[in-house]
Amino acid sequence: MQVGNEASLIPVYNGRDLGLTYTKDDCLFNIWAPTAEHVTLALYEDAGEYDEHGNVTDHSGGREFPLTRNEYGVWSLKLQGDWNGYFYMYLVTLPGREPHYAADPYSIAVSANGQRSAIVDLAETDPAGWENDVRPHHGEPLDAVIYELHVRDFSSDPEAPYGGGRGGFRAFLQTGLKDTQGNSIGIDHLQELGVTHVHLMPVPDYKTVNELAVAAGDRSVYNWGYDPQHYNVPEGSYASDPADPAARIREFKQVVQTLHAAGIGVIMDVVYNHTFSVDDGPFEPIVPGYFYRTDEQGRLTNGSGVGNELATERPMVRKFIKDSLRFWAEEYHVDGFRFDLLGLIDTPTVEEFTKELRSEVFPGMMIYGEPWTGGDSPLQHKTLKGAQRGKGFAVFNDNFRNAIKGDSDGWGTGFATGAWGKEDDVVQGIRGAIYDFTEVPSETINYVTAHDNLNLWDKIITTRHMRHACSFPEWNQGMPADGRSAAEAVESADPYHRVNGDDLLKEESVRRSLLANSMVLTSQGIPFIHAGDELLRSKYGDHNSYRSGDEVNAIRWGNKARFLPVFRYYQGLIALRRSHPAFRMRTREQVERHLEILRASDHVVAFRLHGYANGDDWRNIVVIYNGSDRDETMFLPDDSERWHIVVNDCQAGAETLSIAEGDRVTIPRWSMMVLHDDADDALSDEGGNTGSKMPGAGEQTGHFRTVEMYYQRTDGQYEGWNVWVWGTGVQDGHVPLTMIGEGLAVARIRVAPHVRKIGYIFRLNQWEDKDIDMDRYLELGGGNETVQVIIRSGTVTVQAV
């Protein structure tokens, strides 16, 4: 049956009791099946007879109980008695079709491989002390440092001393683990690193791994989990016993509980944009045609790239997503959600669940996702970059990602991997994308790599044309293309070719990798790190390792001892960010007021966070990125003579490493530097005020110059007009106009000595209007003279005075 345009005629149910409501006295079964002619509950004492593929194909033989339908299309049955431990299916009769069995789409427990829905007493799945579990409160979303992690990757390293539960939930419960040299691994490593949230790649039940085979010791089948089956049940292959419906529930609660005890929040990766299959999926057998988006001919659309997409704009699909999220947040105490292909979820739905989760469950709930699709979709209100403005959730910033590293899988380079001309794009990211697609910095997730595509180390190896030198194979669908096994290919590869352990932090690939994530961790917005970056993790050149197995995907904990200075550098950067709110400004106005671009040219980007930004106890913070292959000298702001270096090319943190005195500092190639001044050391003007003293007309201070832009409007209306400048090397952003005569105003702009060109736009108030709707540039040339120009409204030409 094609629902399509008739979807609006189908009754909508707003109750919060779909699925199974269990008590020891009775069970209430509710299923929304408005187009069904009959629905019967089939009740079983066991999980059924499994075939060699891990499937149950015969669901006959259960005790059957008819359900009754109400006006909203909900079929209901209250069954007296305690049915804890039983299994159930629905026998659904649709018009013109034979009756068929289907699992409950609202299942909260299932048998192995999700073949039957299960009845469990959720209270009995609570681990000891669950009632005292407290969510870590890390402030606002901008205070988060997110660490993306796959459950199985975390503990599948055969050399790591996991005593049990390797590759599953129970590995997260083991604390105090050490490598042979005494370094913390596992959950203690995460705590030591300093991340605030662990983003777990999909843990809801997915289709492509045979849970019974994994339980029997077969580790050959692997998947990331972006192929959902039962949305409200933890994945059984991560449990100690997938045949026990309660085990996976209890053990995932224990994961959350253990991470919370370590002060780490838990973010779930969720996939509400498509299902693994349609006919055998959770929805089509119950309400055919309703849950999936179709074109005008009634054909499934493929915005996901895998054959289908959920019609999230329809009321009962929207309700399902909201109910599911709320269930995970309340029952499992999770702290946030990352949405796969968020572009395929209509923006009103995202707005609704964001508001409800924050207001009714947890104010600190993290909500973010991928603002793109996997293909064309007819959805009108796609949640793409910009759709999140002012709505309380965040999206991944692929603009900043590409500016830093280049393309995702190829030889293309970015600022940190060798490309020139990326400075302006980097500056956009540094500012939290407030002049790109965000309203406030908390709407951007800043990152360079995630599970998709080449991870950071392999991307750098690729951009340096070292894949052959590192003996990386060509990969094809999770296997080496030359016919070897993955284990053989990994064994013969050398991802760290030319890396000298005695001089680790001087090696180019290492420095470029540190520079890339240093930019993420010191920019405005929410930083996101892929698991193992801090250990120089390699996946041996596999750009899409979703089913490549443990040999490729395992986090190799031995790399912590081998690359300990890299770990400590990450640890120091995270500590710096978390201890200094200047890196976490909340509003556009704060960024405009306190963030100055000092330089953005010749493969160097430098900026200053000034004026005790966002309540920071450091008055001025200067951050410098040098992506070039030579050491660079950078002029420092002249309102201080003494600067504390807290991050250099070898160490990072919030403590002083050395003192820089004078007006300049040298930054080694492929590295970054962070400095701050002492307020007591700052120079004062005659009135005793500290800070940069802006020169007046014709005045020169040191080596800095002044640009005087005389602005003439034909309408004579200057109220609210100002100029927005960038590339000054001193202080970018808003510059006011001063009236100097009838029909003429001037903006005086300070420019650093190395700057040869600045950009500018004349605007009305906060971008209510522009003089000309385009970026304009002023060539300055060399010399120390004051530059004076006349700019008349509505014209592109500039007249020198």
Side-chain angles (χ1 to χ4, degrees), residues 377-395:
S377 171
L379 177 63
Q380 292 186 350
H381 299 291
K382 298 181 182 70
T383 307
L384 307 175
K385 287 197 298 291
Q388 85 298 325
R389 282 194 182 99
K391 297 180 175 66
F393 62 94
V395 296

Side-chain angles (χ1 to χ4, degrees), residues 14-47:
N14 295 317
R16 293 280 302 278
D17 58 355
L18 289 179
L20 167 67
T21 303
Y22 167 87
T23 72
K24 292 185 180 299
D25 297 321
D26 56 53
C27 285
L28 175 63
F29 298 88
N30 283 329
I31 181 170
W32 184 72
T35 59
E37 293 180 340
H38 302 286
V39 178
T40 299
L41 176 76
L43 201 62
Y44 311 93
E45 295 184 4
D46 57 40

